[in-house]
Amino acid sequence: MAMKLNTRYLKSFVNEHELKAIEPQVLAAHRTLTEKSGLGNDYLGWTTLPKDYDREEFSRIKAAARKIQSDTDLLLVIGIGGSYLGARAALELLRSPYYNNLKKDTPDIYFVGNSISPDYLNTVLALCEGRRVSVNIISKSGTTTEPALAFRVFRELLEQRYGKEEARGRIYATTDKARGTLKELSDREGYETFVIPDDVGGRYSVLTAVGLLPMAVAGIDIDAVMGGAAAAMDDLAVGDLCKNDCYKYAAYRNILYRKGKQIELLVSYEPAFTMMNEWFKQLFGESEGKDQKGLFPASVVFSTDLHSMGQFIQEGSRCMFETVVDIQNSTKDFFVKDDPENLDGLNFLSNQNMSVVNHKAMQGTILAHTEGGVPNMVLEVPGINEHEFGYMVYFFEKACAISGYLLAVNPFNQPGVESYKKNMFALLGKPGYEDQRAELEAKLG
Amino acid sequence: MAMKLNTRYLKSFVNEHELKAIEPQVLAAHRTLTEKSGLGNDYLGWTTLPKDYDREEFSRIKAAARKIQSDTDLLLVIGIGGSYLGARAALELLRSPYYNNLKKDTPDIYFVGNSISPDYLNTVLALCEGRRVSVNIISKSGTTTEPALAFRVFRELLEQRYGKEEARGRIYATTDKARGTLKELSDREGYETFVIPDDVGGRYSVLTAVGLLPMAVAGIDIDAVMGGAAAAMDDLAVGDLCKNDCYKYAAYRNILYRKGKQIELLVSYEPAFTMMNEWFKQLFGESEGKDQKGLFPASVVFSTDLHSMGQFIQEGSRCMFETVVDIQNSTKDFFVKDDPENLDGLNFLSNQNMSVVNHKAMQGTILAHTEGGVPNMVLEVPGINEHEFGYMVYFFEKACAISGYLLAVNPFNQPGVESYKKNMFALLGKPGYEDQRAELEAKLG
C-alpha cells in the first residue's frame, strides 16, 4: 500500500472540470521536469537519487554510523536549512521527538549551527560535558556563518578534549565533492568526508549523506528509506494526472491558490510529525515563495492545536486550505480502560484503541472545517516507518517541483536568502562590504 | 527599562495620519475594556490579576512546588490549549528548551493530555519508568477528552505504583473553584486543588495556578513573574495612544490588516522563544479568528528559519507583516575566538560577542525584508528573565484585547472550538449524539 490523495472533501470547493482544465499545464510541467528543460534544471539530481546513488559511499555512511555508535554518546550535527531539517524530521518521526530523553543503544543527537544564539550554544556545550562527542559538519562551502561559527567552537572542543589526532577521527564532513573551505580542511586534516552532490539543492538533500548519516547513527534503516523513495520514484513517474496522486496534489493546491487561498496548512495528528512540518515548510516555501507569488506554508499538529489555532481555522479569515497527513496506523496502540465510576464520562471509549479515537477526531475535524468553509485534502499514509518516510519525502519533493512549474517559478533557486546575509556582513564590518555599511546604519538610525 | 515598540521600519508602509485616524477607535476600545462594557466582559479577570490574586493560594503553590521538588523526579502536567502552552512557553524561555536534558536540581517536566496520539502516550509512559512521578492535572471541567484520557492513564499508574493513599499526595488538580467532575473527584480523594478563576479564559490563564505551579516546580521565581506583569499593568493603563506602546502595537497590526495583510509573523532570534510563539498564536488566533476575520498568526525563529522561510518572506507573496521580538541581552554571552588560519573567513568576527552578531543579523534582516516589501515592527524586550516574561505576557494579553475590539469581535470567546468535538463524539458513538452519527458517516463515505 502506498501514499494516496483523498480529494473527497474538496467537492464543494473545486469542480470536476477544474482539474480537467489544469491538466494540460500539469502535463507540460511533467514534460519540463522529465526533459530537464525548465528553470533550475541544473538541480534535478534528486529525481533519480533513490536509485542512482553512490553505493560505495552508502556503505561508508553505514560504517561511519557504526563507528559513531561505538565510540560516541552524543553526536552534534552542525548544519542549517536543508542541512538540518530533513535529518531532524526523520529522527523525530522515525524514532521519537523525545529521542534524546529515552533510554536507547544509539547516541544522543543534537543539532547545532542553525542559529546565532549564544544561549543555545552555551546549552549545547553544557550537554556535552562528561559525554563522548563526535561531530558531523554539513556545509557545501564551509563558510555559511551559522554552521561555520559552530564548527569553530566544537572542533576546538574536540581537539582540546581528545588531542588533534583523535579529534580527526571524530569529525565527519558532509560537503562538496571537490571544492570549498570545508573540503580543503577535511582533506588536509584527514576527516572522513561525504558528498553533497552538485545537482541536489539543500532542501532536496535529505536522501543524500546530508540526511542519511545522522539517520543511520540513530539506528534508522537507511536501506528501507531509500527503498521507499525508489518505490515513489516508480509510482509517481507516470505522466497521467488521473493516475498520479502526486501530480493531483500539485494541481489542486494550485487550483486553490488561483482561487485566492493564500495559506496551505499542513495538518497532522502526531506530535512526532512536528519537524516534518518544518521540513515541508522549507521545501515548499523556499521553492515557491518568489516573484511575489506562492502559497504561504504553515502547519498545525492536532488535536493539540485544535485548542489554539482551531478557532481561527473554524471561523476566522477564509484565507487557507488544509492538507491533512493521515497516518493510518500507529506504531504501537494504546487501549482506553474502563472506569467503573465513569466520573469523566469517557466510558463510551472503554476498550477503544486510542488510534481509532485519534482517527475519529481527524474525520470529525475535516467535516467541521469543510463545513466552516476551509477546503481539505487528505494524504493517506499507511504508517510511520522508514519505507513510508522515504516515499513521503519523494512524493513531496516531486509535488513541489511540479507545483513550482505550475506556479511558473524556478522551484530550485533561492535568490532571496542572500539579502539578509549581505546586510549582516556589512553591519558586522566584513571586509568587502564597507560601502554598504554607512548606508545601512543610517537606515537603522 | 521596559518593553518598547519600535515603529521606525514601518514608515514606508504606514503614514503618520493613519495612526491619528485610528486613534478614536483605540480610545473607544480602551473605554470598552476599562468600563467592562464590551463583548466577553465576563472574562476580564486577567486585567487586574497581576495585583489582585489570592495570596494564600500563591503561598500554597510555592509550598506544593517545594514538595514536588523534594519527592519527584518527573512532573507530568496534563492539560491542553491554555492549560498547556503558557507553562511550557515559560519553561522553555526561562529555563531552557532542553530543560529535561540538562542536569539540574528540579524535576523533569513533561506535558501530556494535549493530543490523542498513542505513540506520544506510550513514549511518556516509557519516560516514567524508574522515576518518581507526580501529576498536575489542569482542567476547568475535568471532562475535556484529551486531558481526561491522559488523567485516567496516569492516575492509574500512580495508584498502582504508590498505592491509593500515596498517589493522592502526588496529584495536584488545577480546576474550577466549586463545580465540575475534577473538582468533585479532587474533594473526594483529597487532592490538593488550585483554582482556575471563572473570569479568566484559558488562553489568558498563564498567570494563574494554571501556569504558576509548573513554573514554580521548574524553579522559576513566580513572584518576579507577577511583579513584571504588575509593572506592565501600571505602564499600559494609560488611555493615550502616544504613551501606550501596547495600544500602538494593537493599532498598527489593525492598520496593516485593513490594508490587506493577512498574516502576522511573530519573529524572534532565540530558539528558546519557540513555545512563546505557540502561546502567542493561541492568544491572538483564538481571540481574533472569528466572524470570518482576523490576522492569521504564524511564527518563525531566525536565523534558523531564514534558511527555510526566509526566501518566501523576502520575495514571495506580499501577504504578511513581521512583528520582531528583539531580546536585547542574552542570558550569558559567547565570544568568537580568533583562528590564525581563518579558513572559514570568519575572523572579522574574532573576539566579537555572539549576541552582537545575532543582533546585527536581526537588523540586517529587518532592512532586507522591509526593502522586499514586508512591513516590520519591533518589540524591544530588555532581556530574558522572570520580570520580562511577566511583562510580555501582560503586554500581549492587553494588546490582544484591544486589537480584538478594534477588529470588532469578542476577543474572549471561542465558539468554533466545539465544532470538531461534536463531530468526534458523534463518530465515536457517545451517548446523546446518535442522531448526527449516521449523517456524518454518510459524508465520510
Side-chain angles (χ1 to χ4, degrees):
Chain A
M1 219 175 100
M3 198 167 159
K4 282 200 161 30
L5 178 71
N6 178 353
T7 60
R8 170 177 197 97
Y9 310 106
L10 279 181
K11 277 179 194 155
S12 54
F13 302 98
V14 181
N15 294 304
E16 263 180 57
H17 70 256
E18 293 182 78
L19 194 65
K20 191 86 192 142
I22 205 172
E23 189 174 16
Q25 295 176 32
V26 176
L27 298 183
H30 168 77
R31 281 192 302 275
T32 303
L33 188 65
T34 49
E35 292 166 4
K36 306 194 181 210
S37 57
L39 293 173
N41 57 1
D42 285 347
Y43 290 94
L44 297 179
W46 61 271
T47 56
T48 52
L49 199 58
K51 293 183 179 179
D52 181 20
Y53 59 89
D54 182 342
R55 263 66 183 177
E56 183 274 330
E57 183 188 58
F58 200 80
S59 296
R60 279 200 300 117
I61 289 171
K62 290 197 265 189
R66 283 192 297 271
K67 176 171 177 296
I68 294 168
Q69 288 168 344
S70 74
D71 70 4
T72 299
D73 302 314
L74 191 160
L75 174 69
L76 294 167
V77 178
I78 301 178
I80 194 165
S83 299
Y84 152 62
L85 289 164
R88 186 163 170 196
L91 181 70
E92 296 205 359
L93 185 69
L94 297 174
R95 297 299 306 265
S96 169
Y98 291 120
Y99 174 80
N100 286 336
N101 304 82
L102 288 163
K103 290 196 190 87
K104 60 197 172 291
D105 52 9
T106 49
D108 281 357
I109 298 180
Y110 287 93
F111 295 88
V112 288
N114 58 61
S115 85
I116 318 178
S117 160
D119 285 339
Y120 185 83
L121 186 59
N122 283 317
T123 300
V124 177
L125 280 166
L127 291 166
C128 290
E129 276 168 32
R131 322 282 306 278
R132 296 174 302 162
V133 176
S134 292
V135 165
N136 179 203
I137 164 78
I138 306 173
S139 178
K140 184 88 172 155
S141 65
T143 58
T144 302
T145 309
E146 291 85 348
L149 267 177
F151 187 53
R152 267 200 184 193
V153 173
F154 290 103
R155 181 187 162 201
E156 191 197 15
L157 180 141
L158 292 190
E159 291 182 349
Q160 286 193 342
R161 188 183 286 186
Y162 302 108
K164 279 225 163 203
E165 189 51 38
E166 189 184 337
R168 288 186 182 112
R170 291 183 167 276
I171 295 173
Y172 302 82
T174 305
T175 187
D176 190 88
K177 71 172 185 302
R179 279 176 301 275
T181 292
L182 181 57
K183 176 62 178 164
E184 281 167 40
L185 178 70
S186 301
D187 286 349
R188 194 189 72 189
E189 297 287 321
Y191 304 152
E192 177 152 23
T193 59
F194 301 98
V195 173
I196 306 177
D198 286 333
D199 58 357
V200 179
R203 59 188 175 274
Y204 285 85
S205 70
V206 59
L207 301 179
T208 70
V210 168
L212 294 173
L213 179 57
M215 280 189 238
V217 171
I220 292 167
D221 178 352
I222 59 174
D223 286 290
V225 169
M226 295 307 277
M233 186 178 151
D234 287 338
D235 291 355
L236 308 175
V238 56
D240 178 340
L241 186 53
C242 297
K243 293 180 183 159
N244 194 325
D245 276 6
C246 168
Y247 287 12
K248 259 192 217 164
Y249 168 57
Y252 277 112
R253 61 195 298 288
N254 273 274
I255 289 170
L256 292 165
Y257 176 69
R258 295 176 190 181
K259 275 178 198 276
K261 296 299 175 190
Q262 305 212 294
I263 300 168
E264 176 176 19
L265 260 179
L266 195 69
V267 178
S268 84
Y269 285 73
E270 288 296 340
F273 206 81
T274 304
M275 287 305 298
M276 277 300 289
N277 287 336
E278 296 302 312
W279 174 83
F280 170 93
K281 281 156 68 176
Q282 184 198 15
L283 180 64
F284 280 83
E286 200 161 271
S287 298
E288 295 197 314
K290 49 198 66 157
D291 306 329
Q292 290 81 56
K293 290 192 284 193
L295 279 162
F296 183 87
S299 64
V300 285
V301 177
F302 291 160
S303 62
T304 306
D305 292 335
L306 285 169
H307 294 251
S308 62
M309 290 298 294
Q311 168 64 36
F312 194 108
I313 301 166
Q314 189 66 47
E315 299 188 341
S317 302
R318 305 294 71 188
C319 52
M320 84 278 279
F321 68 89
E322 291 174 275
T323 298
V324 180
V325 177
D326 172 15
I327 295 164
Q328 304 197 299
N329 292 290
S330 287
T331 311
K332 187 164 164 261
D333 219 323
F334 190 94
F335 289 84
V336 180
K337 288 198 186 157
D338 192 65
D339 176 354
E341 291 195 302
N342 195 28
L343 270 176
D344 54 20
L346 290 180
N347 271 359
F348 69 101
L349 299 178
S350 292
N351 307 312
Q352 181 63 277
N353 307 5
M354 263 185 78
S355 58
V356 171
V357 183
N358 208 13
H359 205 252
K360 297 290 180 193
M362 184 199 78
Q363 292 180 326
T365 303
I366 290 171
L367 294 179
H369 288 180
T370 50
E371 188 82 14
V374 179
N376 268 248
M377 286 189 270
V378 184
L379 289 168
E380 297 171 349
V381 177
I384 295 180
N385 58 44
E386 281 90 341
H387 180 90
E388 297 306 338
F389 171 78
Y391 198 104
M392 188 160 33
V393 161
Y394 194 89
F395 184 102
F396 279 128
E397 285 179 350
K398 191 158 194 188
C400 183
I402 294 293
S403 200
Y405 283 138
L406 284 173
L407 187 63
V409 298
N410 178 345
F412 305 110
N413 67 356
Q414 55 284 330
V417 178
E418 298 308 309
S419 309
Y420 96 90
K421 292 185 194 172
K422 281 183 210 155
N423 287 353
M424 175 176 75
F425 291 147
L427 291 169
L428 284 165
K430 186 174 180 174
Y433 292 82
E434 292 80 359
D435 290 354
Q436 296 97 305
R437 186 174 185 170
E439 191 193 330
L440 292 173
E441 283 181 343
K443 287 186 189 165
L444 294 169
Chain B
M1 217 176 101
M3 198 167 161
K4 282 203 161 26
L5 178 70
N6 177 353
T7 60
R8 168 176 199 98
Y9 310 105
L10 279 182
K11 278 179 193 154
S12 55
F13 301 98
V14 182
N15 294 305
E16 263 179 56
H17 69 256
E18 293 183 78
L19 194 65
K20 192 85 194 146
I22 206 172
E23 188 174 15
Q25 295 176 33
V26 176
L27 298 183
H30 168 77
R31 280 193 303 274
T32 303
L33 188 66
T34 48
E35 293 166 4
K36 306 193 178 208
S37 58
L39 294 173
N41 57 3
D42 284 346
Y43 291 94
L44 297 179
W46 61 270
T47 56
T48 51
L49 200 56
K51 294 184 179 180
D52 180 20
Y53 59 89
D54 181 341
R55 261 69 183 175
E56 182 275 329
E57 183 187 58
F58 200 79
S59 296
R60 280 200 301 116
I61 289 172
K62 290 196 264 189
R66 282 191 298 271
K67 176 171 178 296
I68 294 169
Q69 287 167 345
S70 74
D71 69 4
T72 300
D73 302 312
L74 191 160
L75 174 68
L76 293 168
V77 178
I78 302 178
I80 193 165
S83 299
Y84 153 61
L85 289 164
R88 186 162 170 198
L91 181 70
E92 297 205 358
L93 186 68
L94 297 174
R95 298 299 305 266
S96 168
Y98 291 120
Y99 173 79
N100 286 337
N101 303 81
L102 289 163
K103 292 196 190 87
K104 59 199 173 288
D105 53 9
T106 49
D108 282 355
I109 299 179
Y110 286 92
F111 296 88
V112 288
N114 58 62
S115 85
I116 317 176
S117 161
D119 286 339
Y120 185 83
L121 186 59
N122 283 317
T123 300
V124 176
L125 280 166
L127 291 166
C128 290
E129 277 169 30
R131 322 283 306 278
R132 297 174 302 163
V133 176
S134 293
V135 164
N136 178 203
I137 165 78
I138 306 173
S139 178
K140 184 89 174 156
S141 65
T143 57
T144 302
T145 309
E146 292 86 347
L149 267 177
F151 186 53
R152 266 201 186 193
V153 174
F154 290 104
R155 179 186 164 201
E156 190 196 18
L157 180 140
L158 291 189
E159 290 180 350
Q160 287 194 341
R161 189 184 284 186
Y162 302 108
K164 278 225 166 208
E165 188 52 37
E166 189 184 337
R168 287 185 184 112
R170 291 184 168 275
I171 295 173
Y172 303 82
T174 306
T175 188
D176 191 89
K177 70 174 186 300
R179 280 176 301 274
T181 293
L182 181 56
K183 176 62 179 165
E184 282 168 39
L185 179 70
S186 301
D187 286 348
R188 194 189 72 188
E189 297 287 321
Y191 304 151
E192 177 151 22
T193 59
F194 302 97
V195 173
I196 306 177
D198 286 333
D199 57 358
V200 178
R203 59 188 176 275
Y204 285 85
S205 70
V206 59
L207 301 179
T208 71
V210 169
L212 295 173
L213 178 57
M215 280 190 240
V217 172
I220 291 167
D221 178 352
I222 59 174
D223 286 290
V225 168
M226 295 307 276
M233 185 177 152
D234 286 338
D235 290 355
L236 308 175
V238 56
D240 178 341
L241 186 52
C242 297
K243 293 181 183 158
N244 194 325
D245 276 5
C246 168
Y247 287 11
K248 261 194 215 163
Y249 168 58
Y252 277 111
R253 61 194 299 286
N254 273 275
I255 290 170
L256 291 165
Y257 175 70
R258 294 175 191 181
K259 275 179 198 279
K261 296 299 175 191
Q262 303 211 296
I263 300 168
E264 176 175 20
L265 260 179
L266 194 69
V267 178
S268 83
Y269 284 73
E270 287 297 337
F273 206 82
T274 304
M275 288 305 298
M276 278 298 290
N277 287 337
E278 296 303 312
W279 174 82
F280 171 92
K281 281 156 68 177
Q282 184 199 14
L283 180 64
F284 280 84
E286 200 161 270
S287 298
E288 296 196 315
K290 49 198 67 158
D291 305 328
Q292 291 80 56
K293 290 192 283 192
L295 279 163
F296 182 88
S299 65
V300 284
V301 177
F302 292 158
S303 64
T304 306
D305 293 335
L306 285 169
H307 293 250
S308 62
M309 289 299 294
Q311 167 65 36
F312 194 109
I313 301 166
Q314 190 66 49
E315 299 188 339
S317 302
R318 306 295 69 187
C319 52
M320 84 279 278
F321 68 88
E322 291 174 275
T323 299
V324 180
V325 177
D326 172 15
I327 296 164
Q328 304 197 299
N329 292 290
S330 287
T331 310
K332 186 164 163 260
D333 218 322
F334 190 94
F335 289 84
V336 180
K337 287 198 186 159
D338 192 64
D339 176 355
E341 289 196 302
N342 196 29
L343 271 176
D344 54 19
L346 291 180
N347 271 0
F348 69 99
L349 300 178
S350 292
N351 307 311
Q352 182 62 281
N353 307 4
M354 265 185 78
S355 59
V356 171
V357 182
N358 207 15
H359 205 252
K360 297 291 179 191
M362 183 199 79
Q363 292 180 326
T365 303
I366 290 171
L367 293 180
H369 288 181
T370 49
E371 188 82 12
V374 179
N376 268 249
M377 285 188 273
V378 184
L379 289 168
E380 297 171 349
V381 178
I384 296 180
N385 57 46
E386 280 89 342
H387 180 89
E388 297 306 337
F389 171 78
Y391 198 103
M392 189 160 34
V393 161
Y394 194 89
F395 184 103
F396 279 128
E397 286 178 350
K398 192 157 193 188
C400 183
I402 293 294
S403 199
Y405 283 139
L406 283 173
L407 186 64
V409 298
N410 178 346
F412 305 109
N413 68 354
Q414 54 284 331
V417 177
E418 298 308 308
S419 309
Y420 96 92
K421 292 185 193 172
K422 282 183 209 153
N423 287 353
M424 175 176 77
F425 291 148
L427 291 169
L428 283 164
K430 186 173 180 175
Y433 292 82
E434 292 81 359
D435 290 353
Q436 296 97 305
R437 186 174 185 170
E439 191 194 332
L440 292 173
E441 282 179 345
K443 287 186 188 167
L444 295 169

